[in-house]
Structure formats: C-alpha cells, structure tokens
Amino acid sequence: MNETTGGLKYNRLLLKLSGEALMGNQGYGIDTSVVARVAGDIAAGVAAGCQIGVVVGGGNIFRGLQGAASGMDRANADYMGMLATVMNGLAVQGALSEIGVDARVQSAIPMPTVCEAYVRARALRHLGKGRVVIFVAGTGNPFFTTDTAATLRAVEMGCDAVVKATQVDGVYAADPKKVPDAERYDVLTYDDVLARDLRVMDGAAIALARDNSLPVIVCSIEEPGNLVKLLNGEARATVIKSG
C-alpha cells in the first residue's frame, strides 16, 4: 500500500465507473452533464493529492446494440463492448481536459490513432506525474468483465483500493430500490461476498482482489463530492477486505 499524503485515507485509487453511470436518466448513450459532474469529482480528488486511475464500462452504449448482437458469437460481442468502453473513456478524458485536468486514455487493444496502448510502466509514470489514467477496452480479452479489468489494473498500478462507483451507497442484501428495508453492510470479507452471491463484482474480480489483499470500496457516484469524502474517510460506503 502507498503511504498516504496530506491526511488522505488513500493515496492511489482505481475508480470503476459503469457505462450506465454515464448515461444519466437517458436510456442509451452519454449524458454530457453527468460526465462533467463525474470529471469534477475526479478533478477534486486529484487536487486533494490522490493519484487516480479509471476503468469505465460500456453498458450505456453496448446495451443499445444488444439487439444487433443477438445470436452473435460471444467473443465478437465482447469486442463490441470493449470498443464501447473506448468511446466512454474518450468522453471522460474530454471532460477532464475541459476543466484543466491532464488525462491519458490507455487501451488494452492497440489503436494508436485514437489513444495510447496500455503499457504498465507508462501508466505508472502518468500517475506519478499527477495525470489521470483512463483504462479502456477491458483486459483486451473476451469473456472478462470490466470489473475484472478494474481489479487487474488496480493490482498492476499498486493502488490502495478499487472503488466501485454505483447508484447506491454501499452493498445491500437485496436491491434497495426494490426492497426498501434490505440490510446494508458496512464491512464484508471477500468470502462473504462470494458465499452470499452478493454480486458486487463478478467472482473473478473478487477472487483477484482477495488474492492480492486489495480492498474493494462500494459507494455512490450520484452524490457530488463523494470521492473526496471517501478520500477523507467520510463517505458512506461498504468496504470489502480480508477478515
């Protein structure tokens, strides 16, 4: 774990954003006002002294393509989803640039005319210089989710934790939007999540986090300023870690 600076609880984080988080109340696509708000939160985290990497999903774009992908080979469908994450990553980079935050997009699938290829040493240098690094195209392999990609990149970057930004303020025993009195957890172990099938992340991501003692933090992205609250240890969140 990195030594914290300036009183921050975490010095280097990997923020996992779902594609759906970027579409706001729309049924499809990118809501630029939501992307701008998320970029503002990331910028505040960087200003506070945290080094931040981001992995973004592609559900806001790919869900709209699923009809076209119906009956398609699974690997090809997964590659389509990876390309959707590239679009989202470029949108986040653009929003960060608009507010003066230096950011780089690195893709697990090389596409040099669009963004950098993922190179671990280069990503580490960017983080060390205070740049936000946005990792796209998942792991570059089909059959792996962006949750697994986020955990993998967090381990590779030596992050203090991976933050799964959701629409709720932690992990619940059931969907709190459907079950208002569902039990909420403040702390869980990796084995709790797997045994109870809580679906915070897919099993491969949780197992990878467990094997590398990487804390997983689940918090809301809906509340502006929540990332800085998390860095200061003030955010309402669920922490998944070793028992």
Side-chain angles (χ1 to χ4, degrees):
M1 181 174 291
N2 299 292
E3 291 184 10
T4 56
T5 58
L8 296 181
K9 191 172 179 65
Y10 306 99
N11 193 43
R12 182 179 291 172
L13 286 179
L14 193 294
L15 178 65
K16 167 59 170 59
L17 293 171
S18 69
E20 287 85 353
L22 302 182
M23 69 183 183
N25 294 321
Q26 301 175 159
Y28 171 80
I30 298 170
D31 185 325
T32 54
S33 65
V34 172
V35 177
R37 175 174 58 77
V38 171
D41 278 0
I42 295 170
V46 171
C50 185
Q51 297 175 0
I52 299 177
V54 180
V55 166
V56 62
N60 57 318
I61 295 170
F62 186 66
R63 297 291 183 271
L65 299 174
Q66 281 187 322
S70 179
M72 183 181 293
D73 176 79
R74 167 67 190 276
N76 282 338
D78 281 356
Y79 283 123
M80 290 171 64
M82 291 179 212
L83 294 176
T85 72
V86 177
M87 289 185 270
N88 284 336
L90 292 171
V92 173
Q93 180 193 35
L96 287 167
S97 296
E98 283 288 318
I99 54 178
V101 178
D102 199 2
R104 298 289 189 276
V105 177
Q106 287 202 347
S107 172
I109 300 174
M111 46 186 78
T113 59
V114 176
C115 58
E116 295 180 5
Y118 170 66
V119 176
R120 179 174 177 267
R122 183 181 295 169
L124 287 167
R125 283 199 301 272
H126 287 324
L127 289 173
K129 292 180 179 179
R131 297 168 182 153
V132 175
V133 183
I134 304 163
F135 302 101
V136 299
T139 66
N141 302 291
F143 308 106
F144 289 92
T145 69
T146 49
D147 281 345
T148 300
T151 307
L152 175 63
R153 296 292 181 247
V155 173
E156 290 179 308
M157 294 299 105
C159 291
D160 299 318
V162 58
V163 177
K164 173 120 185 218
T166 69
Q167 295 177 319
V168 293
D169 59 0
V171 179
Y172 288 78
D175 185 345
K177 294 181 180 179
K178 298 178 181 178
V179 185
D181 59 349
E183 180 183 3
R184 181 185 173 281
Y185 307 104
D186 287 324
V187 179
L188 289 164
T189 67
Y190 307 109
D191 291 338
D192 287 337
V193 173
L194 294 171
R196 300 178 194 179
D197 195 24
L198 292 175
R199 300 183 183 277
V200 178
M201 287 180 156
D202 65 84
I206 292 295
L208 183 60
R210 179 192 61 197
D211 293 347
N212 290 278
S213 299
L214 176 74
V216 177
I217 303 168
V218 181
C219 67
S220 173
I221 196 64
E222 299 288 304
E223 180 185 341
N226 216 28
L227 184 57
V228 170
K229 287 183 181 179
L230 179 69
L231 293 175
N232 291 324
E234 300 169 355
R236 183 173 164 84
T238 298
V239 179
I240 302 165
K241 58 184 182 179
S242 300

